[in-house]
Amino acid sequence: MTETKNQIDYSEANQSQGTHNFHVLTPDSRRQIIETKVPIQDSGEEIYKKENITEGKERLSSNQTILGAAFLLTNMCLGTTIFTFGSRAKEIGLIWIIVFCFVVAGVDYWSIMNGCVASSKVDVDDYSEITEKIIGKKSRVLLNIIIIVYSYGVMITFYVLIFALFGRFIQSVGYREYTTYSEFVADKWGKAYIKYPFCLGMAVFLSLMSLIKDIQKLNFTAYIGVAAVIYSLFVVMIQCNTYYNYYKENVYIEEDKSTHLNLVDLGQGFTKDLNFFKTLACIYGAYACHTGIFPVFAGFKYQENGVKKMKFSVFYSMCLTTALHIISVVCSYLTDPYTPEDVIIYRKSIDNGKDIAMTISKLFITLSLVFTSPGYFFGLRLSVANSFTGGKISKLFNILFTFISMFVCAIIAALYDKILNYTSYIGGFITVFVAYLYPALLHIYSSGKPFTYWRNLLDLIIAIILCGIGIIAGIRTIIDDVQNV
């Protein structure tokens, strides 16, 4: 066995057969293995070596703090989905959106901790590897496929948002004679000779950026993304009062209930459009951070009360994320309760005037998506390599896979650009399995108790209900698309 400086196998060795057996590790047994000499049999040669925590894990454990981990998890949840809640509030009621944010935050706390508790019983910090050790290899393969599909879906939404936001930026700067974005798209921006060259040009540009092999060179993109979201949210908050007053004076009609605020009318969510299910699927996606929780939890594994510290971090993260989502949905909806945009930063200024702050926001978010895409694509490429090439990424594979994937995503985005439908598909068909079903199964299989045990049954029932809601949203969205063809 070849052992690198940053890789240590904590499993016990079988000297007689030269193999390593998997054992579920408790914190005490893990510490005992770390602090004692472990015999390792490799090609007939017995190696005795004093194992210590690797330099990387030792540094991570000593530096990881509860608040630091909470901000990392919040950063994973933040994204442009936060700006889609305003349009959903009109469909099921502003108060209900807020209630569902709290509910989803609660179930995400439950699912994240299910995954972390399972991870603490095996010395692995990768989602797919944890799944293989606890459930089995077939489950790992299925999980990898789901994560790959999820990653492609997110990449496609990046293209959709980049095209739409940059188009609105161009309209705000040089084509304000168009009163609506749809007019600008129909007359200029949406023409095939502009739309397809733009998307394909972005595919070439992002492909060249994505060929980078050192992901650490892209660390700055995370700060750009967070800064863009926070700035845009701040702009929406500051301008909310002005836009709400305009709505009250120019749009609101007391006799016309269609112009009224929808605060608690949940009934609209259960019409034939099933907006209740679509909204929950959208909120699922806004809290999705599960593929990145295990590296964060790794920073607590070798600290005293590591699981307890992770609980505090997840709790603080869910509180902060929920606060940001509530601020966004309230300010976004009150900005334009009558005809809210799918994404609030799509909004045009009052009476088609200048809105420099929001124009900057459109450009800022566009640039953040451009610079964030390569870092996100790095994870996608690694997942595909781990699933199909044994983790090997040759130069030829890197080039072909990157360019083909980027061009496919660009073409799909150019052909189909309904951003709210993408949130329903991703949240309904993909996020539910990664965020709810798999963590529940990991907890059940690692609990050492039968499926009929009350806690295991509760985990399974909650996961099935959440998955059912998401799948209904996805199916209803498919029906909508088919009917609109």
Side-chain angles (χ1 to χ4, degrees):
M1 182 185 77
T2 303
E3 186 173 302
T4 64
K5 183 178 181 180
N6 291 320
Q7 290 179 322
I8 292 181
D9 190 346
Y10 295 110
S11 58
E12 295 182 15
N14 186 325
Q15 283 183 275
S16 60
Q17 299 179 7
T19 60
H20 294 275
N21 299 321
F22 162 69
H23 296 275
V24 174
L25 299 179
T26 65
D28 290 338
S29 64
R30 184 186 298 111
R31 186 178 301 278
Q32 183 179 2
I33 291 173
I34 292 171
E35 294 175 350
T36 58
K37 293 181 177 180
V38 179
I40 301 175
Q41 184 78 14
D42 185 14
S43 303
E45 179 181 0
E46 186 176 281
I47 302 173
Y48 280 89
K49 175 176 180 178
K50 181 161 179 77
E51 295 200 19
N52 295 298
I53 300 174
T54 64
E55 181 181 343
K57 288 183 177 179
E58 190 175 45
R59 183 168 57 251
L60 184 59
S61 293
S62 62
N63 293 338
Q64 180 95 302
T65 64
I66 292 175
L67 288 179
F71 281 114
L72 282 174
L73 293 172
T74 302
N75 184 27
M76 295 177 198
C77 294
L78 286 181
T80 51
T81 306
I82 193 175
F83 298 115
T84 65
F85 286 179
S87 60
R88 297 296 189 181
K90 182 176 176 60
E91 298 167 348
I92 69 168
L94 179 61
I95 301 300
W96 284 112
I97 284 276
I98 295 173
V99 170
F100 292 144
C101 281
F102 281 107
V103 171
V104 173
V107 296
D108 271 68
Y109 172 86
W110 156 80
S111 66
I112 289 173
M113 290 315 304
N114 271 348
C116 289
V117 170
S119 172
S120 69
K121 297 178 181 180
V122 293
D123 202 63
V124 179
D125 303 323
D126 176 76
Y127 198 169
S128 59
E129 289 185 24
I130 294 169
T131 300
E132 180 176 352
K133 282 185 173 292
I134 294 178
I135 304 178
K137 188 172 183 179
K138 291 182 180 179
S139 295
R140 174 181 181 170
V141 172
L142 180 59
L143 175 64
N144 282 338
I145 292 173
I146 292 173
I147 291 176
I148 290 169
V149 174
Y150 170 80
S151 300
Y152 273 115
V154 173
M155 287 300 303
I156 293 170
T157 63
F158 280 1
Y159 278 97
V160 172
L161 287 167
I162 289 170
F163 179 79
L165 285 170
F166 192 67
R168 284 171 168 80
F169 170 76
I170 294 297
Q171 181 192 4
S172 300
V173 172
Y175 293 92
R176 286 192 294 112
E177 64 270 19
Y178 293 97
T179 57
T180 65
Y181 177 70
S182 58
E183 292 177 5
F184 177 56
V185 169
D187 193 44
K188 289 187 180 298
W189 190 243
K191 295 292 186 181
Y193 62 84
I194 293 179
K195 187 175 188 178
Y196 288 95
F198 178 89
C199 289
L200 294 177
M202 282 303 305
V204 173
F205 179 74
L206 293 179
S207 294
L208 293 174
M209 287 185 62
S210 299
L211 290 176
I212 186 172
K213 290 187 176 182
D214 186 2
I215 190 64
Q216 292 184 355
K217 293 181 180 179
L218 298 173
N219 283 347
F220 72 95
T221 61
Y223 299 103
I224 293 177
V226 173
V229 170
I230 296 299
Y231 169 80
S232 301
L233 187 58
F234 183 75
V235 170
V236 173
M237 290 172 56
I238 295 298
Q239 296 183 341
C240 176
N241 185 58
T242 300
Y243 277 80
Y244 180 71
N245 289 335
Y246 178 85
Y247 152 78
K248 291 289 290 185
E249 295 171 4
N250 298 275
V251 178
Y252 177 81
I253 302 174
E254 186 174 356
E255 295 77 17
D256 185 0
K257 290 187 177 181
S258 66
T259 65
H260 293 189
L261 286 170
N262 181 10
L263 295 178
V264 294
D265 186 6
L266 185 60
Q268 294 185 37
F270 291 97
T271 62
K272 64 181 180 63
D273 294 325
L274 298 180
N275 287 320
F276 167 80
F277 298 92
K278 294 178 183 177
T279 300
L280 277 180
C282 177
I283 299 175
Y284 289 170
Y287 282 88
C289 62
H290 296 68
T291 57
I293 62 174
F294 299 107
V296 175
F297 178 56
F300 290 126
K301 268 191 175 182
Y302 302 100
Q303 295 183 14
E304 293 295 332
N305 300 315
V307 173
K308 185 176 181 180
K309 290 180 179 179
M310 187 64 177
K311 285 182 178 180
F312 281 113
S313 293
V314 176
F315 177 77
Y316 295 150
S317 173
M318 292 297 104
C319 289
L320 179 58
T321 301
T322 301
L324 293 174
H325 286 160
I326 290 175
I327 292 171
S328 175
V329 66
V330 171
C331 295
S332 298
Y333 184 52
L334 295 182
T335 290
D336 188 6
Y338 183 54
T339 55
E341 291 277 8
D342 290 348
V343 182
I344 186 59
I345 50 180
Y346 284 0
R347 183 195 66 198
K348 276 187 65 65
S349 57
I350 294 176
D351 292 331
N352 206 28
K354 290 184 178 181
D355 187 348
I356 297 175
M358 187 56 77
T359 300
I360 294 173
S361 174
K362 293 169 184 175
L363 180 61
F364 202 1
I365 291 288
T366 301
L367 292 176
S368 75
L369 291 170
V370 169
F371 287 110
T372 301
S373 297
Y376 196 91
F377 186 79
F378 183 91
L380 168 60
R381 182 173 54 216
L382 190 60
S383 295
V384 172
N386 287 335
S387 299
F388 301 104
T389 67
K392 297 178 181 179
I393 303 177
S394 65
K395 186 175 182 180
L396 179 61
F397 172 85
N398 188 27
I399 294 173
L400 290 177
F401 176 75
T402 300
F403 275 90
I404 292 174
S405 295
M406 286 295 187
F407 273 84
V408 169
C409 290
I411 292 172
I412 294 175
L415 292 172
Y416 183 81
D417 60 359
K418 297 179 180 179
I419 188 63
L420 288 185
N421 287 6
Y422 278 116
T423 63
S424 292
Y425 285 132
I426 295 173
F429 284 137
I430 304 172
T431 301
V432 290
F433 295 103
V434 176
Y436 305 127
L437 184 59
Y438 266 89
L441 291 176
L442 287 175
H443 186 267
I444 291 170
Y445 275 88
S446 64
S447 69
K449 299 181 182 296
F451 268 80
T452 53
Y453 179 63
W454 72 269
R455 171 61 197 275
N456 289 345
L457 283 176
L458 182 62
D459 284 345
L460 197 58
I461 291 171
I462 293 175
I464 290 174
I465 291 174
L466 295 171
C467 290
I469 291 172
I471 291 171
I472 290 173
I475 293 174
R476 178 65 251 189
T477 306
I478 292 176
I479 294 174
D480 291 342
D481 283 334
V482 171
Q483 291 176 341
N484 293 329
V485 171

